[in-house]
Amino acid sequence: MVSARLSLRVRSSLVVLCLLILPPTACAAPPGGTAWGDGATVAPGWRRLGEAALKAATDPFTWAPALGAAALQIGNLDNRISRWANRHNPVFGSRAAAADASDMLDEANVAIYLGTGLAAPVSGSDNWVWTKTKGFAVGAAAIFATAGTTAGLKDLSQRQRPVGRGNQSFPSGHASLAGVTDRLSYENQRYYNLTPAARVMTDTGLASLSLMTGWARVEAGKHHPADVLAGAALGNFFAVFANEAFLRPKFGNNVAINIGPNRDGWEFYISYAY
């Protein structure tokens, strides 16, 4: 009973802390920007759906983790990292602590998404409830699509967990939830009037939460590294797709990672525009 109360107290404190660190300028819309939820639609059209799917698939936070999951199969690296993490628990100290941490981190991820959505600016006070309802409906669709696809892939893959019994290892449900909620939070904050430094700080914080959630599942013995990378890619895909197809922000600040041919071969470049 004492441990249960302590766990609840820690989780509640973490959620409150996450809500408190939301940017103080959250209620200010970007100059000339579209308010959150204003452009929501249930009938985006086939062309827009196709564009959204392409953008989601080519987003670096979709294809990079997916590529990493595939690369980990070379030389049995996936299993080797998993065994090392389960034996040493370098970050969380024990499998039980890692499992608890992954649950708390996912709760924090959801809390931050809800907080960033509630704090996002709207056009006027008269349509606040309706605008928020539309915005959160898009987010809920992305979350449920991620959860359903994750469950389906678990049933198809039947991959054994690294430690203990169970064949629901691939992909990680915790990592996919972190992937979708953290990317939705990132998209929400594009509606805020943040300085470049503040935006980089919040984006880095969201990415760190996703990474820590996934690694906690590895140390807990619940998943292999490839499982959490695949889950992160899956969640990011649905978050980008839902946002682009049904909300489509109209802001220019974004991270772009591209690979393409040039006269001498191929080039790799990263751009961050405001």
Side-chain angles (χ1 to χ4, degrees):
M1 181 66 70
V2 173
S3 61
R5 287 201 202 99
L6 179 61
S7 176
L8 180 60
R9 190 177 298 114
V10 171
R11 294 184 183 196
S12 300
S13 300
L14 181 59
V15 170
V16 171
L17 176 62
C18 290
L19 292 175
L20 288 175
I21 64 174
L22 292 174
T25 55
C27 293
T34 301
W36 188 77
D38 277 355
T41 177
V42 295
W46 291 110
R47 179 177 178 178
R48 183 166 165 180
L49 288 172
E51 292 174 349
L54 179 61
K55 185 165 185 177
T58 57
D59 186 89
F61 296 105
T62 297
W63 62 258
L67 188 62
L72 285 173
Q73 306 315 306
I74 301 173
N76 200 34
L77 188 59
D78 198 23
N79 288 319
R80 288 162 56 192
I81 294 175
S82 180
R83 286 195 296 268
W84 176 84
N86 299 156
R87 188 163 54 246
H88 297 285
N89 297 110
V91 176
F92 297 99
S94 70
R95 293 174 189 161
D100 287 342
S102 67
D103 291 340
M104 289 188 287
L105 286 166
D106 252 355
E107 290 172 5
N109 293 327
V110 173
I112 290 173
Y113 164 62
L114 294 175
T116 55
L118 288 171
V122 296
S123 296
S125 59
D126 292 341
N127 62 351
W128 191 91
V129 173
W130 176 234
T131 301
K132 295 299 179 182
T133 299
K134 292 189 295 181
F136 280 121
V138 173
I143 292 171
F144 281 115
T146 300
T149 305
T150 299
L153 290 174
K154 284 178 179 290
D155 291 337
L156 287 174
S157 65
Q158 294 288 299
R159 189 180 193 188
Q160 295 293 318
R161 295 189 186 275
V163 178
R165 299 178 180 179
N167 56 357
Q168 298 285 298
S169 187
F170 181 89
S172 166
H174 280 69
S176 65
L177 179 60
V180 67
T181 52
D182 287 341
R183 183 54 187 256
L184 287 171
S185 296
Y186 163 81
E187 297 293 344
N188 288 350
Q189 293 193 78
R190 295 176 70 186
Y191 292 86
Y192 298 167
N193 188 20
L194 300 178
T195 65
R199 196 172 299 281
V200 169
M201 182 178 66
T202 54
D203 292 349
T204 301
L206 290 170
S208 298
L209 276 173
S210 286
L211 288 172
M212 290 300 293
T213 303
W215 182 251
R217 298 305 285 170
V218 175
E219 281 200 22
K222 301 297 184 181
H223 295 286
H224 304 83
D227 303 334
V228 300
L229 287 173
L234 187 66
N236 188 79
F237 173 86
F238 280 112
V240 175
F241 174 77
N243 194 76
E244 290 296 318
F246 302 102
L247 282 179
R248 183 177 281 184
K250 300 176 182 178
F251 310 120
N253 55 299
N254 199 8
V255 177
I257 302 179
N258 296 290
I259 301 175
N262 59 24
R263 289 183 298 179
D264 300 319
W266 291 79
E267 63 181 359
F268 175 86
Y269 55 94
I270 303 175
S271 62
Y272 198 99
Y274 289 97

